[in-house]
Amino acid sequence: MPQQTRILDTPELVARQFAVDFANLVDQTVGDFHVALSGGSTPKLLFALWASSDCPRTEWSKVRFYWGDERCVPPDDPDSNFGVTRDLFFGPAGIPERNIHRVLGENDPQTEAARYGQLLENQLKSDSGKPVFDLVMLGMGSDGHTASIFPDQMSLMQDDRICALATHPDSGQQRVTITGPVIAAATRIAFLITGSSKTEKYRGIIGGTDDSKSWPATPFFLADNATIYMDQAVDA
Ligand code: 6PG
């Protein structure tokens, strides 16, 4: 079972609860705090909160930002996870570039997957050969994917590389993703899931259905180092 599940009334309260817990984790950490952000739509509420005057006090100077996955597009492309975070949070909050380690989505995808993996190896402490994030933030797609590990690319769950190239099964969009062993090596994992589109997968994972065994999100969702932040709509 996940270490804990925090169920809030609304997506806004999910973002706030995560922001409060995140600020406390940073506060408790000696030295830099290395977090892998997730993309998609759910984190946008969090990024806007982080940039607002209403945000829980957070020692941003200690926080190093990375991505668990990034689309292979330039930073100004609306699909860019970095671009969304820059526009909603980094820019308005004045986060210095030295704290931000983006995937260069404009680069050749294979080359960038290798470069980013090397960067993570250089920047993060290591445990049994894997770079260790203090926190990996994850979402869950309606197909059960997480980061950019999709159900039709399950080999990435055990891939020996730190980062690998993934392909979105519907759009064909290429993405750089951290692999399963890197997610598993994290000190903490936080899932942020909101809305009824997550209900079927949430219930399957919690219920231990046979189908759920083929969803990339499942083992991380149930991991002892995972905290699930969800709103009521997920399990209404
Ligand atoms: C991405 C994400 C991806 C996302 C899920 C959920 O780059 O798209 O990292 O794994 O977390 O697709 O996305 P939503 O939060 O938009 O449902």
Side-chain angles (χ1 to χ4, degrees):
M1 281 304 285
Q3 182 194 40
Q4 58 179 0
T5 299
R6 305 183 78 110
I7 304 177
L8 288 305
D9 287 346
T10 64
E12 290 75 12
L13 288 175
V14 167
R16 176 163 297 280
Q17 184 62 61
F18 176 80
V20 167
D21 294 350
F22 183 86
N24 290 334
L25 282 176
V26 173
D27 203 34
Q28 293 154 16
T29 301
V30 175
D32 286 345
F33 187 86
H34 302 270
V35 57
L37 300 176
S38 70
S41 57
T42 304
K44 290 177 181 174
L45 283 173
L46 171 68
F47 299 153
L49 172 63
W50 271 350
S52 77
S53 56
D54 199 19
C55 174
R57 191 196 64 76
T58 310
E59 279 191 82
W60 295 120
S61 61
K62 291 172 66 177
V63 184
R64 296 280 179 158
F65 297 95
Y66 308 80
W67 276 264
D69 66 315
E70 178 60 281
R71 293 82 181 278
C72 294
V73 295
D76 291 328
D77 186 301
D79 263 5
S80 167
N81 288 334
F82 161 76
V84 167
T85 316
R86 176 198 58 201
D87 297 346
L88 289 177
F89 169 46
F90 295 146
I95 302 295
E97 280 198 20
R98 67 177 174 278
N99 289 56
I100 302 165
H101 306 278
R102 74 177 180 96
V103 177
L104 305 179
E106 65 274 28
N107 277 3
D108 167 72
Q110 278 296 3
T111 308
E112 183 56 17
R115 184 199 74 86
Y116 203 65
Q118 190 59 59
L119 179 144
L120 295 181
E121 205 161 26
N122 298 341
Q123 293 283 124
L124 303 181
K125 59 181 180 289
S126 173
D127 180 9
S128 39
K130 294 300 170 196
V132 177
F133 283 104
D134 294 298
L135 174 66
V136 171
M137 190 178 143
L138 294 171
M140 179 173 64
S142 54
D143 61 354
H145 82 260
T146 195
S148 279
I149 304 178
F150 294 95
D152 66 345
Q153 295 155 61
M154 288 299 274
S155 62
L156 295 178
M157 294 292 283
Q158 290 83 30
D159 197 302
D160 232 6
R161 292 167 293 178
I162 294 170
C163 290
L165 206 49
T167 304
H168 192 286
D170 300 329
S171 66
Q173 184 182 61
Q174 288 194 300
R175 300 183 173 190
V176 171
T177 187
I178 56 176
T179 55
V182 175
I183 299 175
T187 304
R188 286 179 180 81
I189 292 171
F191 273 90
L192 275 67
I193 57 170
T194 60
S196 57
S197 69
K198 314 298 181 185
T199 303
E200 186 247 340
K201 291 299 184 286
Y202 170 78
R203 288 184 176 159
I205 292 172
I206 297 300
T209 64
D210 288 344
D211 283 353
S212 68
K213 295 174 176 54
S214 61
W215 304 334
T218 302
F220 307 121
F221 205 92
L222 298 174
D224 291 342
N225 61 342
T227 301
I228 313 302
Y229 295 84
M230 58 189 268
D231 71 342
Q232 299 276 16
V234 170
D235 197 22

